[in-house]
Coordinates of all heavy atoms in Angstrom, one line a residue:
M222 N 104.6 100.3 -58.4 CA 105.0 101.3 -57.5 C 104.8 100.9 -56.1 O 103.8 100.3 -55.8 CB 104.2 102.6 -57.8 CG 104.6 103.7 -57.0 SD 103.7 105.2 -57.7 CE 104.4 106.4 -56.5
T223 N 105.8 101.2 -55.3 CA 105.8 100.8 -53.9 C 104.8 101.6 -53.1 O 104.8 102.9 -53.2 CB 107.3 100.9 -53.3 OG1 108.2 100.2 -54.1 CG2 107.3 100.4 -51.9
D224 N 104.0 101.0 -52.3 CA 103.1 101.7 -51.4 C 103.8 101.9 -50.1 O 103.7 101.1 -49.2 CB 101.8 100.9 -51.2 CG 100.7 101.6 -50.4 OD1 101.1 102.7 -49.9 OD2 99.6 101.1 -50.2
T225 N 104.5 103.0 -50.0 CA 105.4 103.3 -48.8 C 104.6 103.5 -47.6 O 105.0 103.1 -46.5 CB 106.3 104.5 -49.1 OG1 105.5 105.6 -49.4 CG2 107.3 104.2 -50.2
Q226 N 103.4 104.0 -47.7 CA 102.6 104.2 -46.4 C 102.1 102.8 -45.9 O 102.1 102.6 -44.6 CB 101.4 105.1 -46.8 CG 101.8 106.5 -47.1 CD 102.8 107.1 -45.9 OE1 102.5 107.1 -44.8 NE2 103.9 107.6 -46.4
A227 N 101.8 101.9 -46.8 CA 101.4 100.6 -46.3 C 102.7 99.9 -45.7 O 102.5 99.2 -44.6 CB 100.9 99.7 -47.4
I228 N 103.8 100.1 -46.3 CA 105.0 99.5 -45.8 C 105.3 100.1 -44.5 O 105.7 99.4 -43.5 CB 106.2 99.6 -46.7 CG1 105.9 98.7 -48.0 CG2 107.6 99.3 -46.1 CD1 106.9 98.9 -49.1
K229 N 105.2 101.4 -44.3 CA 105.5 102.0 -43.0 C 104.5 101.6 -42.0 O 105.0 101.3 -40.9 CB 105.3 103.6 -43.2 CG 105.6 104.4 -41.9 CD 105.5 105.8 -42.1 CE 105.8 106.6 -40.9 NZ 105.6 108.1 -41.1
A230 N 103.3 101.4 -42.3 CA 102.3 100.9 -41.3 C 102.7 99.5 -40.8 O 102.6 99.2 -39.6 CB 100.9 100.9 -41.8
G231 N 103.1 98.6 -41.7 CA 103.6 97.4 -41.4 C 104.9 97.3 -40.5 O 104.9 96.6 -39.6
L232 N 105.7 98.3 -40.9 CA 107.0 98.4 -40.1 C 106.7 98.9 -38.7 O 107.3 98.5 -37.7 CB 108.0 99.4 -40.8 CG 108.6 98.9 -42.0 CD1 109.3 100.0 -42.8 CD2 109.6 97.8 -41.7
L233 N 105.7 99.8 -38.6 CA 105.4 100.3 -37.3 C 104.8 99.3 -36.4 O 105.0 99.2 -35.2 CB 104.5 101.5 -37.3 CG 105.1 102.8 -37.9 CD1 104.1 103.9 -38.2 CD2 106.1 103.4 -36.9
R234 N 104.0 98.4 -37.0 CA 103.3 97.3 -36.3 C 104.5 96.4 -35.7 O 104.5 95.9 -34.6 CB 102.4 96.5 -37.1 CG 101.0 97.1 -37.2 CD 100.0 96.2 -37.9 NE 100.3 95.8 -39.2 CZ 100.1 96.6 -40.3 NH1 99.5 97.7 -40.2 NH2 100.5 96.1 -41.5
R235 N 105.4 96.0 -36.6 CA 106.4 95.1 -36.3 C 107.3 95.7 -35.3 O 107.8 95.1 -34.3 CB 107.3 94.8 -37.6 CG 108.4 93.8 -37.3 CD 108.0 92.4 -36.9 NE 109.2 91.6 -36.7 CZ 109.2 90.6 -36.0 NH1 108.2 90.2 -35.3 NH2 110.3 89.9 -35.8
L236 N 107.6 97.0 -35.3 CA 108.3 97.7 -34.3 C 107.8 97.7 -33.0 O 108.4 97.4 -32.0 CB 108.6 99.2 -34.7 CG 109.4 100.1 -33.8 CD1 110.9 99.5 -33.8 CD2 109.5 101.5 -34.4
A237 N 106.4 97.8 -32.9 CA 105.8 97.7 -31.6 C 105.9 96.3 -31.1 O 106.2 96.2 -29.8 CB 104.3 98.1 -31.8
E238 N 105.8 95.3 -31.9 CA 105.9 93.9 -31.5 C 107.3 93.7 -30.9 O 107.5 93.1 -29.8 CB 105.6 93.0 -32.6 CG 104.3 92.9 -33.0 CD 104.2 92.1 -34.4 OE1 105.2 91.5 -34.9 OE2 103.0 92.1 -34.9
L239 N 108.3 94.1 -31.6 CA 109.6 93.9 -31.2 C 110.0 94.7 -29.9 O 110.8 94.2 -29.1 CB 110.6 94.3 -32.3 CG 110.6 93.4 -33.5 CD1 111.5 94.1 -34.7 CD2 111.3 92.1 -33.2
E240 N 109.5 95.9 -29.8 CA 109.8 96.7 -28.5 C 109.1 96.0 -27.3 O 109.8 95.9 -26.3 CB 109.3 98.1 -28.7 CG 110.2 98.9 -29.7 CD 109.7 100.3 -29.9 OE1 108.3 100.5 -29.8 OE2 110.4 101.2 -30.4
E241 N 108.0 95.4 -27.5 CA 107.3 94.6 -26.4 C 108.2 93.4 -26.0 O 108.3 93.1 -24.9 CB 105.9 94.2 -26.8 CG 104.9 95.3 -26.8 CD 103.6 94.9 -27.3 OE1 103.3 93.7 -27.2 OE2 102.8 95.7 -27.7
R242 N 108.6 92.7 -27.1 CA 109.4 91.6 -26.9 C 110.7 91.9 -26.2 O 111.3 91.1 -25.3 CB 109.7 91.0 -28.3 CG 110.4 89.6 -28.2 CD 110.4 89.1 -29.6 NE 111.2 88.0 -29.8 CZ 111.4 87.4 -31.1 NH1 111.0 88.0 -32.1 NH2 112.3 86.4 -31.2
A243 N 111.4 93.0 -26.6 CA 112.6 93.5 -25.9 C 112.4 93.8 -24.4 O 113.2 93.4 -23.7 CB 113.1 94.7 -26.6
V244 N 111.3 94.3 -24.1 CA 111.0 94.6 -22.7 C 110.8 93.2 -21.9 O 111.4 93.1 -20.8 CB 109.7 95.4 -22.5 CG1 109.1 95.4 -21.2 CG2 109.9 96.9 -23.0
R245 N 110.2 92.3 -22.5 CA 109.9 90.9 -21.9 C 111.3 90.3 -21.7 O 111.5 89.6 -20.6 CB 109.0 90.1 -22.7 CG 107.5 90.4 -22.6 CD 106.6 89.4 -23.3 NE 107.0 89.0 -24.5 CZ 106.5 89.4 -25.6 NH1 105.7 90.5 -25.6 NH2 106.9 89.0 -26.8
I246 N 112.1 90.3 -22.7 CA 113.5 89.8 -22.6 C 114.2 90.4 -21.4 O 114.9 89.7 -20.6 CB 114.2 89.8 -23.9 CG1 113.5 89.0 -24.9 CG2 115.6 89.5 -23.8 CD1 114.1 89.2 -26.4
E247 N 114.2 91.7 -21.4 CA 115.0 92.4 -20.4 C 114.4 92.1 -19.0 O 115.2 91.9 -18.1 CB 114.9 93.9 -20.7 CG 115.6 94.8 -19.6 CD 117.2 94.6 -19.7 OE1 117.7 94.3 -20.8 OE2 117.8 94.8 -18.7
T248 N 113.2 91.9 -19.0 CA 112.5 91.6 -17.6 C 113.0 90.2 -17.2 O 113.3 89.9 -16.0 CB 111.0 91.7 -17.7 OG1 110.6 93.0 -18.1 CG2 110.3 91.3 -16.5
D249 N 113.0 89.3 -18.1 CA 113.4 87.9 -17.8 C 114.9 87.8 -17.5 O 115.3 87.1 -16.5 CB 113.2 87.0 -19.1 CG 111.6 86.7 -19.3 OD1 110.9 86.9 -18.3 OD2 111.4 86.1 -20.4
M250 N 115.8 88.7 -18.2 CA 117.2 88.6 -17.8 C 117.5 89.2 -16.5 O 118.5 88.9 -16.0 CB 117.9 89.2 -19.0 CG 117.9 88.4 -20.3 SD 118.7 89.2 -21.7 CE 120.2 89.7 -21.1
T251 N 116.7 90.1 -16.1 CA 117.0 90.8 -14.8 C 116.3 90.2 -13.6 O 116.5 90.7 -12.5 CB 116.7 92.4 -15.0 OG1 115.3 92.5 -15.2 CG2 117.5 93.0 -16.0
A252 N 115.6 89.2 -13.9 CA 114.9 88.5 -12.7 C 115.9 87.9 -11.8 O 116.9 87.4 -12.3 CB 114.0 87.5 -13.2
P253 N 115.7 87.9 -10.5 CA 116.7 87.3 -9.6 C 116.8 85.8 -9.8 O 115.7 85.2 -10.2 CB 116.1 87.6 -8.2 CG 114.8 88.4 -8.4 CD 114.5 88.5 -9.8
M254 N 117.9 85.3 -9.6 CA 118.2 83.9 -9.7 C 117.6 83.0 -8.6 O 117.4 83.6 -7.5 CB 119.7 83.6 -9.7 CG 120.3 84.0 -11.0 SD 120.7 82.6 -12.0 CE 121.8 83.3 -13.3
A255 N 117.3 81.8 -8.9 CA 116.8 80.9 -7.8 C 117.9 80.6 -6.8 O 119.1 80.7 -7.2 CB 116.2 79.7 -8.5
A256 N 117.5 80.1 -5.6 CA 118.5 79.8 -4.6 C 119.2 78.5 -4.9 O 120.3 78.3 -4.6 CB 117.8 79.7 -3.2
D257 N 118.5 77.6 -5.7 CA 119.0 76.3 -5.9 C 120.1 76.3 -7.0 O 119.9 77.0 -8.1 CB 117.9 75.4 -6.4 CG 118.4 74.0 -6.7 OD1 118.4 73.2 -5.8 OD2 118.7 73.7 -8.0
S258 N 121.3 75.7 -6.8 CA 122.5 75.9 -7.7 C 122.1 75.3 -9.0 O 122.6 75.7 -10.1 CB 123.8 75.3 -7.1 OG 123.5 74.0 -6.8
E259 N 121.4 74.1 -9.1 CA 121.1 73.4 -10.3 C 120.1 74.3 -11.1 O 120.3 74.5 -12.3 CB 120.4 72.1 -10.1 CG 121.5 71.0 -9.7 CD 120.8 69.7 -9.3 OE1 119.8 69.4 -10.1 OE2 121.4 68.9 -8.6
E260 N 119.2 75.0 -10.4 CA 118.3 75.9 -11.1 C 119.0 77.1 -11.6 O 118.7 77.6 -12.7 CB 117.1 76.2 -10.1 CG 116.1 77.1 -10.8 CD 115.3 76.4 -11.8 OE1 115.1 75.1 -11.8 OE2 114.7 77.1 -12.8
Q261 N 120.0 77.6 -10.9 CA 120.8 78.7 -11.3 C 121.6 78.3 -12.6 O 121.6 79.2 -13.5 CB 121.7 79.1 -10.3 CG 121.2 79.8 -9.2 CD 122.2 80.2 -8.1 OE1 123.4 79.8 -8.1 NE2 121.7 81.0 -7.1
A262 N 122.1 77.1 -12.8 CA 122.8 76.7 -14.0 C 121.7 76.8 -15.1 O 122.2 77.2 -16.3 CB 123.3 75.4 -13.8
T263 N 120.6 76.3 -15.0 CA 119.6 76.4 -16.0 C 119.2 77.7 -16.4 O 119.2 78.1 -17.5 CB 118.3 75.6 -15.6 OG1 118.6 74.2 -15.3 CG2 117.2 75.6 -16.7
E264 N 119.0 78.6 -15.3 CA 118.7 80.0 -15.6 C 119.9 80.7 -16.3 O 119.6 81.6 -17.2 CB 118.4 80.7 -14.3 CG 117.0 80.3 -13.7 CD 116.7 80.9 -12.3 OE1 117.5 81.7 -11.9 OE2 115.7 80.5 -11.8
A265 N 121.1 80.4 -16.0 CA 122.2 81.0 -16.7 C 122.2 80.7 -18.1 O 122.5 81.6 -19.0 CB 123.5 80.6 -16.0
A266 N 122.0 79.4 -18.4 CA 121.9 79.0 -19.8 C 120.7 79.7 -20.5 O 120.9 80.2 -21.7 CB 121.7 77.5 -19.9
D267 N 119.6 79.8 -19.8 CA 118.5 80.6 -20.4 C 118.8 82.0 -20.7 O 118.5 82.6 -21.8 CB 117.3 80.4 -19.5 CG 116.6 79.1 -19.5 OD1 117.0 78.3 -20.3 OD2 115.8 78.8 -18.6
D268 N 119.5 82.7 -19.8 CA 119.9 84.0 -20.0 C 120.9 84.2 -21.1 O 120.8 85.2 -21.9 CB 120.6 84.5 -18.7 CG 119.6 84.9 -17.5 OD1 118.4 84.9 -17.8 OD2 120.0 85.1 -16.4
A269 N 121.7 83.2 -21.3 CA 122.7 83.3 -22.5 C 121.9 83.3 -23.8 O 122.1 84.1 -24.8 CB 123.7 82.2 -22.5
A270 N 120.8 82.4 -23.9 CA 120.0 82.3 -25.0 C 119.2 83.6 -25.1 O 119.0 84.1 -26.3 CB 119.0 81.2 -25.0
L271 N 118.7 84.2 -24.1 CA 117.9 85.4 -24.1 C 118.8 86.6 -24.6 O 118.3 87.4 -25.3 CB 117.4 85.7 -22.7 CG 116.1 84.9 -22.3 CD1 115.8 85.2 -20.8 CD2 114.9 85.2 -23.2
A272 N 120.1 86.6 -24.2 CA 121.0 87.6 -24.6 C 121.2 87.6 -26.1 O 121.3 88.7 -26.8 CB 122.4 87.5 -23.9
T273 N 121.3 86.5 -26.7 CA 121.4 86.2 -28.2 C 120.2 86.7 -28.8 O 120.2 87.5 -29.8 CB 121.6 84.8 -28.5 OG1 122.9 84.4 -27.9 CG2 121.8 84.7 -30.1
E274 N 119.0 86.3 -28.2 CA 117.7 86.9 -28.9 C 117.6 88.3 -28.8 O 117.1 89.0 -29.6 CB 116.5 86.1 -28.1 CG 115.3 86.5 -28.7 CD 114.0 85.8 -28.0 OE1 114.2 85.0 -27.0 OE2 112.8 86.1 -28.3
D275 N 117.9 88.9 -27.6 CA 117.9 90.3 -27.4 C 118.8 91.0 -28.4 O 118.3 92.1 -29.0 CB 118.4 90.6 -26.0 CG 118.1 92.1 -25.6 OD1 117.0 92.6 -25.9 OD2 119.0 92.7 -25.0
A276 N 119.8 90.5 -28.7 CA 120.8 91.3 -29.7 C 120.1 91.2 -31.1 O 120.1 92.2 -31.9 CB 122.1 90.6 -29.8
M277 N 119.5 90.1 -31.5 CA 118.9 90.0 -32.8 C 117.6 90.9 -32.8 O 117.4 91.6 -33.8 CB 118.3 88.6 -33.0 CG 119.5 87.6 -33.3 SD 119.0 85.9 -33.8 CE 117.7 85.5 -32.7
V278 N 116.9 91.0 -31.7 CA 115.7 91.9 -31.7 C 116.2 93.4 -31.8 O 115.6 94.1 -32.6 CB 114.9 91.7 -30.4 CG1 113.9 92.8 -30.1 CG2 114.2 90.3 -30.3
L279 N 117.2 93.7 -31.1 CA 117.7 95.1 -31.1 C 118.2 95.5 -32.5 O 118.1 96.6 -33.0 CB 118.8 95.3 -30.1 CG 118.2 95.2 -28.6 CD1 119.5 95.4 -27.6 CD2 117.2 96.3 -28.4
R280 N 118.8 94.5 -33.2 CA 119.3 94.7 -34.5 C 118.1 95.0 -35.5 O 118.1 95.9 -36.3 CB 120.1 93.6 -35.1 CG 121.6 93.7 -34.7 CD 122.5 92.7 -35.5 NE 122.1 91.3 -35.4 CZ 122.5 90.5 -34.4 NH1 123.2 90.9 -33.4 NH2 122.1 89.2 -34.3
E281 N 117.1 94.2 -35.4 CA 115.9 94.4 -36.2 C 115.2 95.7 -35.8 O 114.8 96.4 -36.8 CB 114.9 93.2 -36.0 CG 113.8 93.2 -37.1 CD 112.9 92.0 -37.1 OE1 113.2 91.1 -36.4 OE2 111.9 92.1 -37.7
I282 N 115.1 96.1 -34.6 CA 114.5 97.3 -34.2 C 115.3 98.5 -35.0 O 114.7 99.4 -35.5 CB 114.5 97.5 -32.7 CG1 113.5 96.7 -32.1 CG2 114.4 99.0 -32.3 CD1 113.4 96.5 -30.5
T283 N 116.6 98.4 -34.8 CA 117.5 99.4 -35.5 C 117.2 99.5 -37.0 O 117.0 100.6 -37.6 CB 119.0 99.2 -35.2 OG1 119.1 99.2 -33.7 CG2 119.8 100.3 -35.9
A284 N 117.2 98.3 -37.6 CA 116.9 98.4 -39.1 C 115.6 98.9 -39.4 O 115.4 99.6 -40.4 CB 117.1 96.9 -39.6
I285 N 114.6 98.5 -38.7 CA 113.2 99.0 -39.0 C 113.1 100.6 -38.8 O 112.5 101.2 -39.5 CB 112.2 98.2 -38.1 CG1 112.0 96.8 -38.6 CG2 110.8 99.0 -38.0 CD1 111.2 96.0 -37.7
R286 N 113.7 101.0 -37.7 CA 113.7 102.5 -37.4 C 114.4 103.2 -38.5 O 113.9 104.2 -39.0 CB 114.3 102.8 -36.1 CG 113.4 102.5 -34.9 CD 114.2 102.8 -33.6 NE 113.2 102.6 -32.4 CZ 113.7 102.3 -31.2 NH1 115.0 102.4 -31.0 NH2 112.8 102.1 -30.3
A287 N 115.5 102.7 -39.0 CA 116.2 103.3 -40.3 C 115.3 103.3 -41.4 O 115.3 104.2 -42.2 CB 117.5 102.5 -40.5
A288 N 114.6 102.2 -41.7 CA 113.7 102.1 -42.8 C 112.6 103.2 -42.8 O 112.3 103.9 -43.7 CB 113.1 100.7 -43.0
I289 N 112.0 103.3 -41.5 CA 111.0 104.3 -41.3 C 111.6 105.7 -41.6 O 110.9 106.6 -42.2 CB 110.4 104.2 -39.9 CG1 109.5 102.9 -39.8 CG2 109.5 105.4 -39.6 CD1 109.2 102.5 -38.3
T290 N 112.7 106.0 -41.2 CA 113.5 107.3 -41.4 C 113.6 107.5 -42.9 O 113.4 108.6 -43.5 CB 114.8 107.3 -40.6 OG1 114.5 107.2 -39.2 CG2 115.4 108.6 -41.0
R291 N 114.0 106.4 -43.5 CA 114.2 106.6 -45.0 C 112.8 106.8 -45.8 O 112.8 107.7 -46.7 CB 114.8 105.3 -45.6 CG 116.3 105.2 -45.4 CD 117.0 104.1 -46.1 NE 116.4 102.8 -46.0 CZ 116.6 101.9 -45.0 NH1 117.4 102.3 -44.1 NH2 116.0 100.8 -45.0
I292 N 111.8 106.2 -45.3 CA 110.4 106.5 -45.9 C 110.1 108.0 -45.6 O 109.7 108.7 -46.6 CB 109.4 105.6 -45.2 CG1 109.6 104.2 -45.8 CG2 108.0 106.1 -45.6 CD1 108.6 103.1 -45.0
E293 N 110.3 108.4 -44.4 CA 109.9 109.8 -44.1 C 110.8 110.8 -44.8 O 110.3 111.9 -45.1 CB 110.0 110.0 -42.6 CG 108.9 109.2 -41.8 CD 109.0 109.2 -40.3 OE1 110.1 109.6 -39.8 OE2 108.2 108.8 -39.6
A294 N 112.0 110.5 -45.1 CA 113.0 111.3 -45.8 C 112.8 111.3 -47.3 O 113.4 112.1 -48.1 CB 114.4 111.1 -45.4
G295 N 112.0 110.3 -47.8 CA 111.8 110.1 -49.2 C 112.9 109.4 -49.9 O 113.0 109.4 -51.2
H296 N 113.7 108.7 -49.2 CA 114.8 107.9 -49.7 C 114.6 106.3 -49.7 O 115.5 105.6 -50.0 CB 116.1 108.1 -48.9 CG 116.5 109.6 -49.0 ND1 116.9 110.3 -50.1 CD2 116.6 110.5 -47.9 CE1 117.1 111.5 -49.7 NE2 116.9 111.6 -48.4
F297 N 113.4 106.0 -49.4 CA 113.1 104.5 -49.3 C 113.1 103.8 -50.5 O 112.6 104.4 -51.5 CB 111.8 104.4 -48.6 CG 111.3 102.9 -48.4 CD1 111.9 102.2 -47.3 CD2 110.5 102.3 -49.2 CE1 111.6 100.8 -47.1 CE2 110.1 100.9 -49.0 CZ 110.7 100.3 -48.0
G298 N 113.7 102.7 -50.7 CA 113.7 102.0 -51.9 C 114.9 102.2 -52.9 O 114.9 101.9 -54.0
T299 N 115.8 103.1 -52.4 CA 117.1 103.4 -53.1 C 118.2 102.7 -52.6 O 118.5 102.8 -51.4 CB 117.3 104.9 -53.2 OG1 116.2 105.5 -53.7 CG2 118.4 105.3 -54.0
C300 N 119.0 102.0 -53.4 CA 120.1 101.2 -53.0 C 121.2 102.2 -52.5 O 121.6 103.1 -53.1 CB 120.7 100.4 -54.2 SG 122.2 99.4 -53.8
H301 N 121.7 101.9 -51.3 CA 122.7 102.7 -50.7 C 124.0 102.6 -51.4 O 124.9 103.6 -51.2 CB 122.9 102.4 -49.2 CG 121.8 102.8 -48.3 ND1 122.0 103.0 -46.9 CD2 120.5 103.4 -48.6 CE1 120.9 103.5 -46.5 NE2 120.1 103.8 -47.4
S302 N 124.2 101.5 -52.1 CA 125.5 101.3 -52.8 C 125.6 101.9 -54.2 O 126.4 102.7 -54.5 CB 125.9 99.8 -52.9 OG 127.1 99.6 -53.4
C303 N 124.6 101.6 -55.0 CA 124.7 102.0 -56.4 C 123.6 103.1 -56.8 O 123.8 103.7 -57.8 CB 124.5 100.9 -57.4 SG 122.9 100.1 -57.4
G304 N 122.7 103.3 -55.9 CA 121.7 104.4 -56.2 C 120.4 103.9 -57.0 O 119.6 104.6 -57.3
A305 N 120.5 102.6 -57.4 CA 119.4 102.1 -58.2 C 118.3 101.8 -57.4 O 118.3 101.8 -56.1 CB 119.9 100.7 -58.8
K306 N 117.0 101.7 -58.0 CA 115.8 101.4 -57.3 C 115.8 100.0 -56.8 O 116.2 99.1 -57.6 CB 114.6 101.7 -58.2 CG 113.2 101.5 -57.4 CD 112.1 101.7 -58.4 CE 110.8 101.4 -57.8 NZ 110.7 100.3 -56.8
I307 N 115.5 99.8 -55.5 CA 115.3 98.4 -55.0 C 114.0 97.9 -55.6 O 113.0 98.6 -55.4 CB 115.4 98.4 -53.5 CG1 116.8 99.0 -53.1 CG2 115.2 97.0 -52.9 CD1 117.0 99.1 -51.6
P308 N 114.0 96.7 -56.2 CA 112.7 96.2 -56.7 C 111.6 96.1 -55.6 O 111.9 95.7 -54.5 CB 113.1 94.8 -57.2 CG 114.5 94.9 -57.6 CD 115.1 95.8 -56.5
D309 N 110.4 96.4 -56.1 CA 109.2 96.2 -55.1 C 109.1 94.9 -54.4 O 108.8 94.8 -53.2 CB 107.9 96.6 -55.8 CG 107.9 98.0 -56.3 OD1 108.6 98.9 -55.7 OD2 107.0 98.3 -57.1
A310 N 109.4 93.8 -55.2 CA 109.3 92.5 -54.5 C 110.2 92.3 -53.5 O 110.0 91.7 -52.4 CB 109.6 91.4 -55.7
R311 N 111.5 92.9 -53.6 CA 112.5 92.8 -52.5 C 112.0 93.6 -51.3 O 112.1 93.2 -50.1 CB 113.9 93.2 -53.0 CG 114.9 93.2 -51.9 CD 116.4 93.3 -52.5 NE 117.4 93.6 -51.6 CZ 117.9 92.7 -50.8 NH1 117.4 91.4 -50.8 NH2 118.9 92.8 -50.0
L312 N 111.5 94.8 -51.6 CA 111.0 95.6 -50.4 C 109.8 95.0 -49.8 O 109.7 95.3 -48.6 CB 110.7 97.0 -50.9 CG 111.9 97.8 -51.4 CD1 111.4 99.1 -52.1 CD2 112.8 98.2 -50.3
A313 N 108.9 94.3 -50.5 CA 107.8 93.7 -49.9 C 108.3 92.6 -48.9 O 107.7 92.4 -47.9 CB 106.8 93.1 -51.0
A314 N 109.3 91.8 -49.4 CA 109.8 90.7 -48.6 C 110.6 91.2 -47.5 O 110.7 90.6 -46.4 CB 110.4 89.7 -49.5
M315 N 111.4 92.3 -47.7 CA 112.4 92.7 -46.7 C 112.4 94.3 -46.7 O 113.3 94.9 -47.4 CB 113.7 92.2 -47.0 CG 114.8 92.3 -46.0 SD 116.2 91.3 -46.6 CE 117.5 92.4 -46.0
P316 N 111.4 95.0 -46.1 CA 111.3 96.4 -46.2 C 112.4 97.1 -45.7 O 112.7 98.3 -45.9 CB 110.0 96.7 -45.5 CG 109.6 95.5 -44.8 CD 110.3 94.3 -45.4
E317 N 113.2 96.5 -44.8 CA 114.4 97.2 -44.2 C 115.6 97.1 -45.2 O 116.7 97.6 -44.8 CB 114.8 96.6 -42.8 CG 115.2 95.2 -42.8 CD 114.1 94.1 -42.8 OE1 112.9 94.5 -43.0 OE2 114.4 93.0 -42.6
A318 N 115.5 96.5 -46.3 CA 116.6 96.3 -47.3 C 117.2 97.7 -47.6 O 116.4 98.6 -47.9 CB 116.2 95.6 -48.5
T319 N 118.5 97.7 -47.7 CA 119.2 99.0 -48.1 C 119.9 98.8 -49.4 O 120.5 99.8 -49.8 CB 120.1 99.5 -46.9 OG1 121.2 98.4 -46.7 CG2 119.4 99.8 -45.7
L320 N 120.0 97.6 -49.9 CA 120.7 97.3 -51.1 C 119.9 96.5 -52.1 O 119.1 95.8 -51.7 CB 122.0 96.4 -50.8 CG 123.0 97.0 -49.7 CD1 124.0 95.8 -49.4 CD2 123.7 98.2 -50.3
C321 N 120.2 96.8 -53.4 CA 119.5 96.1 -54.4 C 120.1 94.7 -54.4 O 121.1 94.3 -53.8 CB 119.7 96.8 -55.8 SG 121.3 96.8 -56.4
M322 N 119.5 93.8 -55.1 CA 120.0 92.4 -55.2 C 121.4 92.3 -55.8 O 122.2 91.6 -55.2 CB 119.0 91.5 -56.0 CG 117.7 91.3 -55.5 SD 117.7 90.4 -53.9 CE 118.3 88.8 -54.4
A323 N 121.7 93.0 -56.8 CA 123.1 93.0 -57.3 C 124.1 93.4 -56.3 O 125.1 92.8 -56.1 CB 123.2 93.9 -58.6
C324 N 123.8 94.5 -55.5 CA 124.8 94.9 -54.5 C 124.8 94.0 -53.3 O 125.8 93.9 -52.6 CB 124.5 96.4 -54.1 SG 124.9 97.6 -55.5
A325 N 123.7 93.4 -53.1 CA 123.6 92.5 -51.8 C 124.3 91.2 -52.1 O 124.6 90.5 -51.1 CB 122.2 92.3 -51.5
A326 N 124.4 90.8 -53.3 CA 125.0 89.5 -53.7 C 126.5 89.4 -53.2 O 127.2 90.4 -53.4 CB 124.9 89.2 -55.2
P327 N 126.9 88.3 -52.7 CA 128.2 88.2 -52.2 C 129.2 88.2 -53.3 O 129.1 88.0 -54.4 CB 128.3 86.9 -51.5 CG 127.0 86.1 -51.8 CD 126.1 87.1 -52.4

């Protein structure tokens, strides 16, 4: 049986980490550029990488918030596609999963 409260606690910890990371990324991306043109080129490349990282962080934040909402609503661990129970092992590895293995398979 899935310990949803333990999973929720882990999700809340991960969410706090990601929110802090998102703030750091945003701070780095909005920092003023250096006056040197070579340094600006490096900073522009860094900003592109940060934008990609920011998008990944925001997607994970959204997935975690949705998982927490499902826990609170009592729908956690149910496949959105077929309605079957998502195995505990899958939820332990990927608590934001919304599909069982059969429905997630390509």
Side-chain angles (χ1 to χ4, degrees):
M222 182 173 180
T223 305
D224 183 356
T225 56
Q226 292 311 308
I228 291 174
K229 182 178 178 181
L232 287 169
L233 289 169
R234 281 190 302 275
R235 178 68 177 152
L236 181 60
E238 292 168 6
L239 290 169
E240 287 173 338
E241 288 177 18
R242 190 168 164 192
V244 168
R245 286 193 310 269
I246 291 169
E247 183 65 27
T248 300
D249 287 349
M250 288 176 52
T251 57
M254 288 256 188
D257 180 86
S258 62
E259 287 181 24
E260 185 65 27
Q261 285 179 357
T263 301
E264 289 175 4
D267 289 348
D268 282 352
L271 285 172
T273 300
E274 182 180 359
D275 190 45
M277 291 187 316
V278 167
L279 294 177
R280 276 194 300 276
E281 189 173 352
I282 286 172
T283 300
I285 288 173
R286 285 182 178 156
I289 292 168
T290 298
R291 287 192 303 279
I292 290 171
E293 292 171 348
H296 303 295
F297 182 76
T299 302
C300 178
H301 281 198
S302 182
C303 70
K306 182 182 179 320
I307 299 172
D309 289 345
R311 178 165 171 76
L312 292 172
M315 194 171 141
E317 66 277 8
T319 60
L320 300 173
C321 66
M322 289 300 292
C324 291

